[in-house]
Amino acid sequence: MKELKKLTRIEELTELEAQAELRYLAKEIAYHDSLYHEKDQPEIDDATYDALRQRNTAIEIKFPHLIRPDSPSKKVGYKAAPGFAKVTHLTPMLSLDNAFTEIDVIDFIERTRRFLNLNSDAIEIIAEPKIDGLSCSLRYENGFLKQAATRGDGEIGEDVTENVKTIKKIPHHIPYTDIVEIRGEVYIKHSDFNELNSLRTKSGEPQFANPRNAAAGSLRQLDARITATRPLEFFAYGYSKYPSNLKTHLEGLERLKEWRFPVNPLIELCPSINSILSFYKKLETLRVGLDYDIDGVVYKINTLALQQRLGNVARAPRYAIAHKFPPEQAQTILENIILQVGRTGVLTPVAQLTPINVGGVIVSRATLHNEDELKRKDIRIGDHVLIQRAGDVIPQVVKVLNPDRPDRSMPFEFPDVCPICESYIERLPEQAARRCTGGLYCSAQAALRLKHFVSRDAFDIEGLGAKHIEHFFEQGLLKTPIDIFTLEARDRNSINSLATREGWGLKSAKNLFSAINNHRHISLERFIYALGIPQIGQTTAKLLAYHYGSYPQWKMAMQKAAEGQEEECQNLLSIDGIGPSVGEDLLSFFKERHNIEILEKLEQHITITDSISPTLGHSPISGKVIVFTGTLTTLTRAEAKARAEFLGAKVAGSVSSKTDYVVYGADAGSKADKAKELGIELLTEDQWLALIQQVD
Ligand code: IVH
């Protein structure tokens, strides 16, 4: 990053200095705009960027005759990137002016009041969370989603229609036939972001720095199939031009909800300045618990006639302002780097920090992600570092603040053996991660696997918390999941029974045993998830459970595939959503003799119930295996798949003798041919729609 200049007070700036600084700021802001928008790799945080822009505006106010033709205040955003077709927005996608203090907000209301010559009490404001994603404009014609575009430079954006069509929450048709452009924010949830980053680590790809960059990087993919694999979400917040019969912004939002757009649930109507400011404070506290990033509150004048009268100035409307939150960043010292062993043996370097308050939360640890990240940022013990946190996202080290200090320590070296069990550490080819090879022998892994096994989405044994597991593990009472179900019987024969131990009594021991006994029945999808196989999260576990239906069928199929039986391998990979890498992890699990032994012993203690996909009782396609091929006209593939699964069908990626229907659109190729060959029923898109319409 370039050094920021030492600032002279605006009042003391000479004309020559002002001119030089405006030149510098134009260049600097353009540089950061390009890093942020085109490369999705910002070097400075939002607050520092905002400060640059504020300084530029302040100098321009004092020296209006020095405003440059390339001034950042004249530009809305950034240039559309090469590689995408260009799209001209119906009306420009504007930016928002920022308020940083309550005084700025009061000024905004006052300004508005003066402009309209109204009493400020007569002005209703809608307060909305400012979502920290990237803005997107969706054009509907005759009710159909015709075009989706990024903001670009505000006038011209990038055509990301195909990419946007993969976002499940965005409707493909709306009950409105005039041309309309819906504006909103594409974002990624924290939980999905963390999962996406750990998947990327597994596959050796660099991690995204934050959810906003992940959303931008995912939406602006030249290949929409990649976008389709990313967990993009959307909040609609406005229009290029409101439909003509609406009177207020709030009605506009209601209309968006009626059309099935996701609209943020926290939006409020604020009738007074006080209610605006308390909304801001409320949101500041709620922010920590939200599953998505917000970086402030947007205030908008509710009455559309007033919005119209207010109009725009340069790059922003006069009827709205963004009240930004202070940055959740702080500087501290990195005291040590430790290695954490995960459930699957992956070693994650973690920074131990001098504790520091970041946006109201004391942070003493931050993830360093992996070895490559550590090297790329050249983070060393003893460094002064900038850290940041956003909502649920694990705190991160943004960068080293004093990389040129002469007495820095040496770069961190990964050890050759696991810090917990001393097993050899491997670095898998093509993966950024290093992994302890100790497996169940490694106590860190074994205890974490047990915790996962009893966790809420797995066996859900509430009485057996993390602390109990650690304790029982240290005491040698629990080593494998089987031990959980034999605990009571072993305890009965023990001279040192649980009820007599410190911190336990007859009642608590009895409660624990009944909690375990109440969970001896489990559905197949939960059971598969409980096994903690790398890459088999809840979604994949469900896919497997719905596909194979019962535990014996699943186990047999997995064992056959692990032995290399071609048909079962194909069958596994035919499941839409299961790729070769997931398949490999699954089969590695079944290739391990001791895993099969654990399964066989577990079977004696528990009952695994069959899985039936969420069926509508009268659905004509429930339980059927469907393959989609070619381009469908009324639905995207993702939508068709979701609909079919909702109606209880299984959607497969390839045609086999198990396929019931092949639905074909335009340009259907080999899959349709194969269906004909195998005598499988082929349906046109219309026939398919007619079939599923029966249950609508
Ligand atoms: S209204 C003309 N509402 O903030 C006003 N914007 O700096 C258009 N944003 O580019 C924006 N949440 O990407 C509006 N509830 C919200 C928003 C929001 C996030 C983004 C949007 C815009 C940027 C303005």
Side-chain angles (χ1 to χ4, degrees):
M1 189 190 121
K2 291 169 191 150
E3 274 298 303
L4 295 186
K5 294 205 166 153
K6 200 155 177 268
L7 301 180
T8 314
R9 287 176 47 179
I10 305 263
E11 303 84 75
E12 291 167 10
L13 276 178
T14 65
E15 195 152 318
L16 261 182
E17 282 170 337
Q19 200 170 15
E21 197 171 337
L22 287 177
R23 187 183 326 119
Y24 158 77
L25 285 167
K27 220 170 127 209
E28 188 71 8
I29 292 170
Y31 169 71
H32 291 297
D33 275 345
S34 126
L35 284 180
Y36 186 82
H37 293 296
E38 285 163 35
K39 306 199 175 68
D40 301 318
Q41 290 289 0
E43 281 178 359
I44 55 174
D45 58 86
D46 290 356
T48 315
Y49 175 82
D50 287 341
L52 288 175
R53 270 201 178 267
Q54 265 183 304
R55 173 94 181 160
N56 189 71
T57 311
I59 300 176
E60 288 183 346
I61 288 171
K62 172 111 197 284
F63 301 96
H65 56 289
L66 295 182
I67 296 178
R68 300 166 58 86
D70 64 348
S71 163
S73 57
K74 293 191 172 172
K75 279 188 250 162
V76 177
Y78 58 99
K79 277 208 177 61
F84 287 97
K86 308 238 180 319
V87 167
T88 305
H89 303 300
L90 279 184
T91 63
M93 288 183 79
L94 298 175
S95 180
L96 288 170
D97 272 342
N98 290 324
F100 296 96
T101 61
E102 292 196 349
I103 306 228
D104 291 347
V105 177
I106 293 166
D107 275 356
F108 163 71
I109 304 288
E110 267 305 296
R111 255 193 334 264
T112 312
R113 186 191 67 74
R114 279 199 305 273
F115 191 97
L116 297 170
N117 199 16
L118 280 176
N119 180 333
S120 60
D121 291 346
I123 302 176
E124 281 182 347
I125 301 281
I126 302 293
E128 305 181 356
K130 185 168 185 297
I131 314 298
D132 195 8
L134 71 155
S135 48
C136 195
S137 187
L138 313 172
R139 185 193 296 209
Y140 289 80
E141 288 177 20
N142 284 321
F144 283 90
L145 174 57
K146 270 278 144 42
Q147 194 167 64
T150 62
R151 187 168 68 163
D153 65 3
E155 304 275 345
I156 296 173
E158 299 141 342
D159 184 340
V160 285
T161 314
E162 289 314 307
N163 310 47
V164 161
K165 280 186 173 170
T166 70
I167 302 178
K168 293 191 189 65
K169 302 259 172 72
I170 293 184
H172 287 197
H173 12 98
I174 56 173
Y176 185 77
T177 47
D178 288 354
I179 294 180
V180 61
E181 267 183 18
I182 314 289
R183 304 266 161 95
E185 200 81 353
V186 173
Y187 68 99
I188 285 183
K189 286 196 217 158
H190 294 153
S191 40
D192 291 331
F193 167 75
N194 288 330
E195 199 175 321
L196 178 62
N197 257 356
S198 57
L199 282 179
R200 283 172 73 82
T201 306
K202 284 202 97 201
S203 56
E205 291 166 282
Q207 293 209 336
F208 287 115
N210 55 46
R212 204 211 77 86
N213 290 348
S218 300
L219 185 66
R220 296 164 73 226
Q221 286 286 340
L222 290 173
D223 182 348
R225 283 173 302 184
I226 299 179
T227 310
T229 68
R230 304 284 173 80
L232 290 173
E233 303 276 340
F234 184 74
F235 275 130
Y237 54 64
Y239 303 81
S240 67
K241 197 167 155 286
Y242 291 85
S244 55
N245 49 353
L246 299 181
K247 297 264 178 306
T248 63
H249 177 62
L250 204 55
E251 286 174 18
L253 293 174
E254 287 303 327
R255 180 66 59 89
L256 288 171
K257 280 196 236 168
E258 282 162 24
W259 291 348
R260 300 192 179 221
F261 287 97
V263 171
N264 190 284
L266 300 170
I267 295 174
E268 266 182 33
L269 173 71
C270 298
S272 68
I273 292 232
N274 282 345
S275 58
I276 291 175
L277 298 176
S278 53
F279 180 85
Y280 177 85
K281 291 208 183 88
K282 184 175 89 179
L283 217 58
E284 218 176 0
T285 39
L286 285 181
R287 180 186 191 190
V288 181
L290 292 180
D291 197 16
Y292 48 88
D293 277 346
I294 58 175
D295 57 350
V297 178
V298 184
Y299 306 127
K300 300 176 182 170
I301 308 294
N302 190 26
T303 309
L304 300 185
L306 297 184
Q307 281 195 9
Q308 194 117 60
R309 280 174 59 196
L310 283 156
N312 307 324
V313 253
R315 59 190 265 275
R318 266 194 213 90
Y319 56 80
I321 197 160
H323 190 181
K324 300 289 278 276
F325 291 134
E328 291 189 299
Q329 285 197 333
Q331 301 181 5
T332 188
I333 294 171
L334 189 148
E335 293 178 353
N336 198 7
I337 295 175
I338 54 165
L339 292 176
Q340 234 171 30
V341 187
R343 179 163 54 82
T344 56
V346 171
L347 295 167
T348 306
V350 173
Q352 283 184 323
L353 308 164
T354 305
I356 177 97
N357 185 330
V358 194
V361 174
I362 304 293
V363 172
S364 55
R365 283 174 162 223
T367 177
L368 296 167
H369 298 301
N370 57 51
E371 189 178 8
D372 291 351
E373 174 89 349
L374 206 61
K375 285 203 178 124
R376 192 171 62 76
K377 292 185 174 165
D378 190 21
I379 296 168
R380 307 188 194 181
I381 295 170
D383 282 345
H384 289 246
V385 287
L386 182 68
I387 57 162
Q388 84 181 1
R389 57 169 284 277
D392 270 356
V393 179
I394 305 160
Q396 298 174 318
V397 174
V398 181
K399 62 171 181 169
V400 173
L401 293 163
N402 57 347
D404 303 326
R405 209 184 63 203
D407 57 343
R408 284 182 87 197
S409 62
M410 297 301 287
F412 178 78
E413 290 285 346
F414 269 66
D416 294 329
V417 295
C418 171
I420 306 290
C421 72
E422 300 194 337
S423 299
Y424 175 67
I425 289 174
E426 61 179 358
R427 176 162 175 157
L428 303 174
E430 293 153 34
Q431 291 198 9
R434 283 184 188 252
R435 201 189 279 227
C436 159
T437 52
L440 282 177
Y441 172 73
C442 179
S443 60
Q445 288 183 55
L448 287 170
R449 280 181 202 207
L450 284 170
K451 281 185 203 167
H452 173 79
F453 192 82
V454 301
S455 65
R456 207 180 55 199
D457 298 318
F459 269 79
D460 192 21
I461 307 181
E462 226 177 64
L464 195 53
K467 284 262 154 11
H468 290 143
I469 295 214
E470 266 158 37
H471 180 71
F472 291 163
F473 189 81
E474 278 163 20
Q475 303 268 312
L477 279 174
L478 291 186
K479 282 206 176 66
T480 72
I482 305 153
D483 300 338
I484 297 172
F485 299 103
T486 60
L487 191 64
E488 187 176 11
R490 284 183 292 132
D491 192 69
R492 238 180 271 134
N493 301 325
S494 165
I495 44 163
N496 185 13
S497 75
L498 199 57
T500 62
R501 291 179 186 228
E502 204 187 315
W504 289 85
L506 262 179
K507 189 155 189 280
S508 50
K510 202 169 151 242
N511 284 348
L512 174 62
F513 296 140
S514 63
I516 294 173
N517 292 334
N518 288 340
H519 290 88
R520 286 179 190 262
H521 283 76
I522 188 165
S523 66
L524 178 58
E525 61 264 35
R526 274 178 177 263
F527 180 74
I528 297 176
Y529 172 70
L531 295 176
I533 303 167
Q535 300 200 71
I536 311 295
Q538 277 178 281
T539 313
T540 316
K542 261 190 203 143
L543 288 177
L544 290 165
Y546 293 162
H547 188 79
Y548 292 100
S550 76
Y551 171 69
Q553 271 172 343
W554 176 62
K555 188 173 137 208
M556 204 201 314
M558 293 301 98
Q559 281 182 291
K560 283 188 183 162
E563 283 160 14
Q565 208 196 73
E566 186 57 28
E567 201 186 336
E568 280 306 344
C569 289
Q570 284 308 325
N571 185 10
L572 175 64
L573 293 178
S574 77
I575 305 173
D576 211 2
I578 304 239
S581 159
V582 173
E584 214 166 280
D585 276 352
L586 198 53
L587 299 188
S588 306
F589 178 89
F590 278 88
K591 281 180 193 158
E592 281 281 347
R593 187 62 224 151
H594 71 251
N595 286 334
I596 305 294
E597 279 164 17
I598 290 184
L599 286 182
E600 279 165 4
K601 287 194 184 137
L602 266 176
E603 288 159 20
Q604 298 165 17
H605 299 283
I606 58 171
T607 310
I608 303 163
T609 52
D610 292 355
S611 257
I612 308 152
S613 68
T615 322
L616 290 185
H618 51 300
S619 162
I621 58 165
S622 83
K624 302 273 191 251
V625 178
I626 305 200
V627 172
F628 292 99
T629 180
T631 316
L632 305 178
T633 52
T634 59
L635 305 158
T636 61
R637 196 64 84 67
E639 202 178 0
K641 176 170 179 273
R643 185 93 187 108
E645 282 172 351
F646 175 72
L647 295 173
K650 296 168 192 168
V651 177
S654 58
V655 179
S656 74
S657 56
K658 301 210 164 98
T659 312
D660 292 296
Y661 297 116
V662 171
V663 181
Y664 66 99
D667 304 325
S670 61
K671 288 184 195 171
D673 297 341
K674 182 148 187 213
K676 272 183 218 143
E677 231 170 74
L678 295 175
I680 291 160
E681 190 166 346
L682 278 153
L683 299 177
T684 62
E685 187 175 348
D686 284 347
Q687 287 170 324
W688 159 253
L689 289 173
L691 183 66
I692 60 170
Q693 222 90 66
Q694 296 172 23
V695 290
D696 271 349

